Amino acid sequence: MAYRTDALFRDDVYLRTADAVVVAVNDRGGIILDRTIFYATSGGQPGDTGTLERADGSLIAVAATITGETKDDIIHVPPPEQAVPEVGEPVKLALDWERRHLLMRMHTACHLLTVVCPFPITGASVSEDDSRIDFDIPDAGFTREDVTARLMELVRADQPVFVRLITDEELAANPGLVKSKNVRPPVGTGKIRLVCIGENASIDSQPCGGTHVKSTGEVGEIHIGKIEKKGRENRRFRIRFGPMPPA
Ligand SMILES: [Zn+2]
């Protein structure tokens, strides 16, 4: 059966701890809570890791967070052979914040790359030390140096990153908001989360359910590690943290 967990990270991605109650434990040991700060794997962003602290102070590790039948059905997956909490038991949640913050910075960096390279996206994946986006573009003469310089202009401009909720109708009226060729934002729930960059979304806005930092400056120093040719008209861009190493 599908559960509806109150996803606290949708309103505040900076929550590192919270209290919750165990609603269910599925037949594979997956833990479902009434509310959570753990983002579940979705849209190319990996799910959170961390711990659940029981009343006696013992910890249950969360090795992965995934969705069940729906996106509101958030399952905390402990490593094998771990103690299983009781339904109704209160637990204190704590994220592996260092990892999550890296993912937020990387994910936001991916949005910046789609501003610098405004081409249809055919795939994307975020991790804490490397991300990639595949674009449908022929060889357009992009160099790692040029793209890195333009990304860092956006980072240094320290522009706000925020979420605006729009209706299915507003999205239908603005089909250009959707940059992915293969992934359509879920419609039918009435509200779509638009991730906006810049004052009044002057730099970018696109539907996204992931977690992002609150300003482009918080992304920090990044560079393009590689531009790989994946097909005649497809290029894979890799983003990494830190300054570009000398060629
Ligand atoms: Zn996003």
Side-chain angles (χ1 to χ4, degrees), residues 47-86:
D48 286 324
T49 55
T51 55
L52 311 180
E53 184 184 337
R54 308 181 76 177
D56 67 4
S58 65
L59 297 179
I60 297 170
V62 176
T65 309
I66 58 174
T67 52
E69 288 174 34
T70 70
K71 291 222 168 181
D72 295 312
D73 193 4
I74 299 174
I75 302 169
H76 307 80
V77 184
E81 314 202 358
Q82 189 143 222
V84 171
E86 302 288 327

Side-chain angles (χ1 to χ4, degrees), residues 107 111 195 208 210 212:
H107 188 136
H111 283 250
V195 173
C208 185
H212 313 83

Side-chain angles (χ1 to χ4, degrees), residues 1-10 32-47 65-76 107 182-187 189 191-193 207-211:
M1 85 174 259
Y3 294 91
R4 284 188 70 88
T5 300
D6 186 9
L8 303 177
F9 55 83
R10 290 208 181 107
I32 296 104
L33 304 170
D34 62 337
R35 58 216 293 266
T36 192
I37 50 177
F38 286 75
Y39 178 80
T41 302
S42 177
Q45 181 178 332
T65 309
I66 58 174
T67 52
E69 288 174 34
T70 70
K71 291 222 168 181
D72 295 312
D73 193 4
I74 299 174
I75 302 169
H76 307 80
H107 188 136
N182 309 328
V183 185
R184 297 277 125 187
V187 293
T189 57
K191 283 277 185 285
I192 291 157
R193 292 165 53 88
C208 185
T211 62

